[in-house]
Amino acid sequence: MTNTSQHPYHPIIYARGFAATPTEIEETVADPYMGFNIGSTKSRQAWTGDLKRFYFESPLVRLMSDHDYEDVFVEGDDLVAAETADKPIPYRCIVIYRYYDEASKDFGTVKGSPIQHFAEGLGQLILRLRDKICANPDNKMTPEDFRVYLVGHSMGGLICRAFLQNTKLGSKEARAAVDKLFTYATPHNGIDMRIVRNVPGWASFGDVNNFNRDRMAEYLDVPKGDDVSLVRNFRPERIFNLIGSNPRDYTVLGGISAWAAGEASDGLVRIENATTHGPGADGRDVKSPRAYVNRSHSGHYGIVNSEEGYQNLTRFLFGALRVDGILDIDDLTLPQELVTAREEGKTVHASYQFEIAVSVRGCQWQMTRREVRENSAIFRKYSELFPGTPGTERQPDRSRSPHLFTVFLDPNKSVKKSKSVSFAFDLKVLVPDYQVDGSFFLTRHYEGGFILRELVLIEAFPDPKAPSGWKIKYGFQDINPGKPGKDAEIRTITDGAAAAPGLAFDIPLEQKTRPGFRGTLRIEACSWNSQPET
């Protein structure tokens, strides 16, 4: 019988990001926690740059104070590496994968180790940790039931992927122990710069060619090409991608890196390169859950040492409910002037941007935010939403419906005795960009305007009698502020965004005045962490 007494609080292994120079490597190995202990007193409150003091202690401290995790350093020893058996390791522990020790002038014996070597070392670390934990009788854990979470920042996420995907790197039993992978700002599809595009394979300085797509295809064991973000041999929905959208606060190389990466980046990794996908159980392509936060790659405004990062991390690891929001669009109408222009035989093009921000009840931060001014809004051309021949009746392509968000919710963090979980999302469909015969149409255009905006509230109540164990209500902030009071008419699903059985319900939306909108918010939910992965 499977031991579930510890679930979902499994050991956490953290793998830090890239260090290019010997000085950076020495600074890294001098820190026992390799950056996972770094906090911040600074927070970007708004896109304008206005500052608000906010004390974030660090992911390490918060996991210890909020979830009773412990480190593995006792009396100067790393208990995982130590040979002594008289100092047991608790199950709920945090382990730092110190792969850069091998490249240190003080501790190292090798130079310029490839990612394949680091990936193999990760597998060895997992098995050693498993044996140490199972040897502690207080943990009541067997090797078969042992599970571990991997957390990787930047290149650390690629090391984790290489271990999970490439069956030549490490053992099957070590991979089977991994329950989930959380990645901060990982260049899953490589690093691109303004001038050289993808980092060239010949760029050997500091092993920066680790981010060349041909090189990545080798250690990730995927076909060479423009997309190496493909996940194999591990379920893509068990990987979370946290994506930064703030390049201006990434000060490496005096800001040159941020300039080279461009506006739609975290200062090093472009937004378009920071996600993963792969085949689900039925073979169809599944996108990994993700969130967008206005944080830079590292530094005082960095993505790891942020409240937004910590909240996404812990809810993905320990939460009980996953909720996805998809916007199915049935009709988008044009201003009358453009209808007339099209009837006169002129060529009319339209493109749309969708902004979304998700907030959890009782909290002052956002789980995810995608905005035009942060270069992270969702973009669709009309021809993508409604493919077909101009002048004919065109049916919507649901595969191009904007996926607005994925959030994980934890009843243990509920502010109510009922243990209900609740969140709100602010959706905006911005005024479209129109072109008529190649020229922009700006009549009655106001920058930042929208054709639809709704603040939707959703609350889920644990209910063992309800489908998937949850009863759900929703509402609109402008009608009943703070109180979602309408019962959702739910249906069961087997093939939603989560690639797992769950429930769904629809919220109709319409704006009749031209330029108008008609569509449906499709909300999908499924239980999360209901049982250990086997």
Side-chain angles (χ1 to χ4, degrees):
M1 183 175 180
T2 300
N3 178 6
T4 60
S5 61
Q6 304 281 1
H7 188 72
Y9 295 101
H10 303 300
I12 294 172
I13 294 178
Y14 173 72
R16 67 147 287 142
F18 180 60
T21 67
T23 300
E24 290 174 347
I25 290 174
E26 296 308 320
E27 290 176 350
T28 294
V29 301
D31 178 358
Y33 303 106
M34 291 194 164
F36 205 47
N37 56 318
I38 297 177
S40 176
T41 60
K42 296 181 178 181
S43 174
R44 283 281 186 197
Q45 187 180 23
W47 68 275
T48 59
D50 295 335
L51 294 179
K52 177 183 178 182
R53 192 182 299 273
F54 184 92
Y55 294 96
F56 175 67
E57 302 96 319
S58 79
L60 181 86
V61 173
R62 290 292 295 277
L63 284 165
M64 291 178 171
S65 62
D66 294 351
H67 298 283
D68 297 325
Y69 273 80
E70 300 179 39
D71 64 14
V72 294
F73 302 131
V74 176
E75 297 178 356
D77 283 335
D78 178 345
L79 298 187
V80 180
E83 297 298 334
T84 179
D86 61 345
K87 297 175 182 177
I89 297 177
Y91 191 73
R92 204 175 295 195
C93 63
I94 300 172
V95 177
I96 309 301
Y97 179 29
R98 300 183 57 85
Y99 62 88
Y100 266 128
D101 282 358
E102 296 187 38
S104 166
K105 65 180 178 62
D106 295 324
F107 303 135
T109 58
V110 298
K111 193 172 184 179
S113 295
I115 280 187
Q116 288 98 320
H117 178 72
F118 295 149
E120 290 174 341
L122 177 58
Q124 295 165 7
L125 175 62
I126 290 172
L127 294 180
R128 187 172 181 84
L129 176 63
R130 180 200 64 182
D131 294 344
K132 291 272 188 172
I133 280 179
C134 292
N136 180 0
D138 292 339
N139 293 328
K140 300 178 181 179
M141 184 57 57
T142 66
E144 294 76 21
D145 293 332
F146 171 82
R147 294 291 182 273
V148 65
Y149 295 135
L150 302 181
V151 178
H153 173 226
S154 193
M155 190 179 79
L158 295 179
I159 293 172
C160 295
R161 274 187 63 201
F163 160 70
L164 292 171
Q165 294 187 215
N166 193 333
T167 57
K168 301 182 185 70
L169 307 177
S171 67
K172 182 179 180 180
E173 59 178 333
R175 281 188 288 276
V178 178
D179 187 273
K180 301 187 191 85
L181 165 62
F182 185 97
T183 65
Y184 293 97
T186 292
H188 290 294
N189 198 41
I191 290 180
D192 289 297
M193 296 297 177
R194 287 181 191 266
I195 299 175
V196 298
R197 291 297 295 168
N198 186 217
V199 171
W202 46 260
S204 59
F205 169 72
D207 292 328
V208 73
N209 59 357
N210 282 328
F211 311 113
N212 170 263
R213 277 188 276 275
D214 285 349
R215 169 93 174 88
M216 293 173 67
E218 294 177 4
Y219 62 72
L220 294 174
D221 192 24
V222 297
K224 289 186 178 182
D226 292 332
D227 180 15
V228 293
S229 62
L230 177 67
V231 176
R232 288 178 164 178
N233 302 318
F234 194 76
R235 291 167 56 183
E237 70 272 18
R238 307 296 287 183
I239 300 176
F240 192 99
N241 309 139
L242 191 64
I243 304 157
S245 62
N246 174 12
R248 64 186 174 279
D249 287 320
Y250 189 60
T251 58
V252 170
L253 299 176
I256 294 176
S257 171
W259 171 85
E263 288 297 318
S265 74
D266 62 10
L268 180 64
V269 180
R270 292 188 179 182
I271 291 173
E272 63 186 10
N273 287 337
T275 60
T276 52
H277 68 100
D282 60 359
R284 69 185 178 94
D285 191 66
V286 174
K287 293 181 179 179
S288 298
R290 59 201 60 177
Y292 298 75
V293 296
N294 193 224
R295 289 282 177 166
S296 64
H297 192 76
S298 63
H300 290 300
Y301 304 105
I303 197 168
V304 177
N305 58 318
S306 70
E307 187 71 25
E308 301 95 326
Y310 172 75
Q311 295 297 338
N312 276 288
L313 170 69
T314 54
R315 283 169 167 79
F316 174 69
L317 296 184
F318 314 135
L321 184 68
R322 169 177 168 161
V323 184
D324 290 84
I326 303 97
L327 185 61
D328 288 330
I329 302 170
D330 296 316
D331 193 19
L332 291 163
T333 60
L334 296 171
Q336 187 57 49
E337 295 95 326
L338 296 186
V339 173
T340 302
R342 190 173 59 186
E343 291 173 346
E344 293 173 351
K346 296 180 180 179
T347 301
V348 177
H349 293 292
S351 59
Y352 297 80
Q353 299 201 74
F354 305 84
E355 294 189 339
I356 188 75
V358 179
S359 304
V360 175
R361 178 178 57 196
C363 300
Q364 294 182 305
W365 33 260
Q366 294 171 323
M367 293 292 289
T368 185
R369 185 172 76 199
R370 305 188 68 174
E371 294 187 351
V372 168
R373 56 194 170 192
E374 293 171 2
N375 299 290
S376 58
I378 303 169
F379 176 84
R380 292 287 188 276
K381 296 177 182 178
Y382 181 87
S383 58
E384 293 177 296
L385 297 168
F386 297 90
T389 304
T392 64
E393 185 175 347
R394 297 156 73 166
Q395 297 300 314
D397 180 358
R398 293 298 187 229
S399 70
R400 298 298 294 161
S401 291
H403 186 285
L404 302 176
F405 59 81
T406 300
V407 294
F408 295 87
L409 303 170
D410 188 351
N412 292 323
K413 296 183 178 182
S414 175
V415 298
K416 290 190 174 183
K417 292 182 180 180
S418 66
K419 295 294 184 181
S420 70
V421 288
S422 183
F423 68 98
F425 57 93
D426 186 6
L427 168 65
K428 287 190 285 187
V429 182
L430 300 190
V431 170
D433 289 327
Y434 300 115
Q435 280 192 355
V436 179
D437 284 347
S439 299
F440 281 108
F441 174 82
L442 298 176
T443 302
R444 293 188 282 108
H445 175 88
Y446 298 92
E447 188 65 26
F450 48 86
I451 60 175
L452 178 78
R453 183 173 188 177
E454 292 288 358
L455 182 61
V456 182
L457 314 177
I458 293 180
E459 186 169 9
F461 301 83
D463 184 351
K465 297 180 180 180
S468 297
W470 296 90
K471 179 181 178 181
I472 299 180
K473 292 180 178 288
Y474 73 92
F476 296 91
Q477 178 72 7
D478 60 344
I479 296 175
N480 197 8
K483 296 180 179 180
K486 186 175 178 62
D487 289 328
E489 297 182 7
I490 63 174
R491 62 185 183 275
T492 58
I493 58 173
T494 59
D495 58 351
L503 58 88
F505 64 95
D506 297 330
I507 303 175
L509 298 175
E510 187 171 15
Q511 204 292 98
K512 296 182 179 179
T513 304
R514 289 179 176 273
F517 174 96
R518 181 168 55 85
T520 302
L521 278 168
R522 174 162 41 103
I523 307 299
E524 300 179 351
C526 66
S527 292
W528 187 248
N529 277 328
S530 57
Q531 61 183 9
E533 291 298 301
T534 58

